[in-house]
Amino acid sequence: MADITRRLGWRHLRGAPTAHVRHHRDGKLLHDGPGLSFWYRALTAALSEVPVDDRELAMTFHARTSDFQDVAVQATVTYRVSDPALAAARLDFSIDPDTGVWRGAPLEQLGTLMTETAQQHALDVLARTTLSAALVDGVASVRGRVASGLAAEPRLPATGIEVVAVRVVALRPEPEVERALRTPAREQIQQEADRATYERRAVAVERERTIAENELASQIELARREEQLVDQRGTNARREAEEHAAADAVRASAEAARSVKLAEAEAERSVKLAEAEATRTVKLADAEAARSVRLARAEAESAREVGEARAQAQAAWLRVHGDVDVATLNALTGTRLAENLPNIDSVTISPDVLTGLLARLGAGERA
């Protein structure tokens, strides 16, 4: 859209490089070209603006194949206005001199023309093609047919339109048909996946079997080596026992020889000790006998002297007592008896004893 500025009843238009502007006044062409900038009066100016850049026209339409299946076609047509003067003469590209907005809808008219033309050629080629062939090669065939049809369409050059490129984005059947068509492929893919899974499982089982066989072989080899190890350990133990037995025999022989030597030395020492003990015992016996004889002699001499002394004392005692009278002897006897009697702390006289004593006293008095 052109950029229009108002100044005191005048208008200034500044166009874009991709917009072709045509300015008429009183039926005369004053300005013609892209990217123009000029002043004009709104009451007397007739302006038109034709875009000359490449335009993308997206279109979607439905078609039917030869086997009566509906398909949706999505395509894009790239075009441009090659002759702006011709396009402005055939289509209404006039703009408002005050706002710069198109008075009509020229691009919509052009889009309808190109869409209907492209749809006509696409329907023509799809009507002679089955659905399966259309899905396989329909994009290329439809694109070629639409491009050739638009290039051969006389109305487009007569309107100043040039088709730059045609692209068919997609060609799809109805959702139910598409699902039905996908089913065999999906089943085949699933079968391939299942077969791959089975093969992978088979390979895994084979590998597991190989691993199990290797483990079994390893266990067998390990058992064989353990058996060899046990045999070797038995041989080593037997050899060690024999060596220990030989060492014990040598040690026992040496110990026996040392014991014999020790026993002989001990016996010899015992004999010497016995002889020395016997000699000492004899000497002690002789000394004890001599001492006993001396003691016996001394005791006999002492006893004899004691006996003689006692005899002498007894004789002297008898001589003394022989000269003393009887009353003195009785008194001495009573004194000796009193000295040898035990101590009497108390005397208990029973009535019977007292009666007997009194009876004796009475009888003595009577006598």
Side-chain angles (χ1 to χ4, degrees):
M1 184 177 66
D3 185 11
I4 297 177
T5 306
R6 299 179 183 183
R7 290 293 185 274
L8 299 174
W10 288 85
R11 306 289 185 269
H12 182 271
L13 183 145
R14 183 176 60 188
T18 58
H20 189 97
V21 178
R22 292 172 61 85
H23 177 209
H24 290 81
R25 187 179 62 188
D26 296 335
K28 296 180 181 180
L29 182 62
L30 300 180
H31 299 90
D32 185 17
L36 296 180
S37 179
F38 55 89
W39 290 91
Y40 65 93
R41 286 184 178 275
L43 295 177
T44 60
L47 301 175
S48 62
E49 183 182 15
V50 181
V52 293
D53 57 337
D54 290 348
R55 296 276 173 158
E56 299 286 340
L57 176 62
M59 58 185 68
T60 301
F61 51 88
H62 292 272
R64 179 169 293 184
T65 61
S66 61
D67 50 358
F68 304 100
Q69 298 296 325
D70 291 336
V71 292
V73 180
Q74 295 178 1
T76 302
V77 176
T78 304
Y79 68 95
R80 67 185 180 86
V81 179
S82 59
D83 191 348
L86 184 58
R90 299 294 298 271
L91 297 175
D92 185 11
F93 283 97
S94 62
I95 61 175
D96 191 315
D98 290 327
T99 61
V101 177
W102 278 321
R103 295 179 183 274
L107 295 181
E108 293 182 3
Q109 296 177 5
L110 185 58
T112 302
L113 173 62
M114 298 186 65
T115 300
E116 291 178 354
T117 303
Q119 183 176 0
Q120 179 181 358
H121 294 287
L123 293 176
D124 187 29
V125 69
L126 290 174
R128 296 180 176 85
T129 308
T130 61
L131 177 62
S132 59
L135 294 177
V136 175
D137 300 324
V139 173
S141 60
V142 170
R143 182 178 62 248
R145 182 63 179 273
V146 170
S148 62
L150 290 176
E153 179 65 28
R155 291 184 59 187
L156 295 179
T159 314
I161 305 301
E162 179 184 357
V163 177
V164 178
V166 176
R167 297 187 304 275
V168 177
V169 180
L171 197 152
R172 296 179 178 277
E174 292 182 348
E176 296 80 4
V177 177
E178 186 175 4
R179 283 194 295 269
L181 292 175
R182 289 178 179 178
T183 301
R186 288 183 177 178
E187 292 294 334
Q188 185 176 1
I189 293 173
Q190 186 64 37
Q191 291 177 2
E192 294 292 335
D194 294 340
R195 182 163 56 253
T197 302
Y198 295 150
E199 291 178 356
R200 185 171 63 253
R201 290 180 179 176
V203 171
V205 171
E206 183 66 22
R207 290 180 179 176
E208 290 179 357
R209 185 181 63 81
T210 304
I211 292 172
E213 291 179 355
N214 294 334
E215 290 179 353
L216 181 60
S218 300
Q219 292 178 0
I220 294 173
E221 181 65 20
L222 182 60
R224 186 178 62 80
R225 293 186 179 181
E226 288 180 353
E227 183 180 2
Q228 294 178 356
L229 181 60
V230 170
D231 294 339
Q232 186 64 33
R233 285 180 178 175
T235 303
N236 295 337
R238 184 169 59 255
R239 185 179 302 170
E240 185 177 359
E242 292 176 356
E243 292 178 355
H244 282 302
D248 291 340
V250 173
R251 192 181 300 108
S253 300
E255 189 69 24
R258 188 172 65 83
S259 299
V260 170
K261 291 181 181 180
L262 290 176
E264 291 178 354
E266 186 68 24
E268 185 177 356
R269 188 174 66 82
S270 299
V271 170
K272 290 181 180 180
L273 290 176
E275 291 178 353
E277 187 68 23
T279 303
R280 188 173 65 83
T281 303
V282 171
K283 290 180 180 180
L284 290 176
D286 293 342
E288 186 68 25
R291 188 173 66 80
S292 298
V293 171
R294 287 195 299 271
L295 288 175
R297 289 178 181 176
E299 289 176 358
E301 186 65 25
S302 176
R304 186 177 59 75
E305 291 177 357
V306 170
E308 289 177 358
R310 287 180 177 177
Q312 292 176 3
Q314 187 69 24
W317 187 78
L318 290 174
R319 283 196 302 272
V320 170
H321 286 77
D323 295 336
V324 178
D325 55 358
V326 177
T328 302
L329 291 174
N330 291 331
L332 292 171
T333 302
T335 301
R336 291 288 182 88
L337 288 173
E339 292 177 354
N340 293 324
L341 288 175
N343 295 326
I344 300 173
D345 295 331
S346 63
V347 176
T348 303
I349 299 175
S350 63
D352 295 335
V353 175
L354 182 61
T355 302
L357 289 177
L358 291 176
R360 289 181 182 179
L361 290 175
E365 291 178 356
R366 285 193 300 273

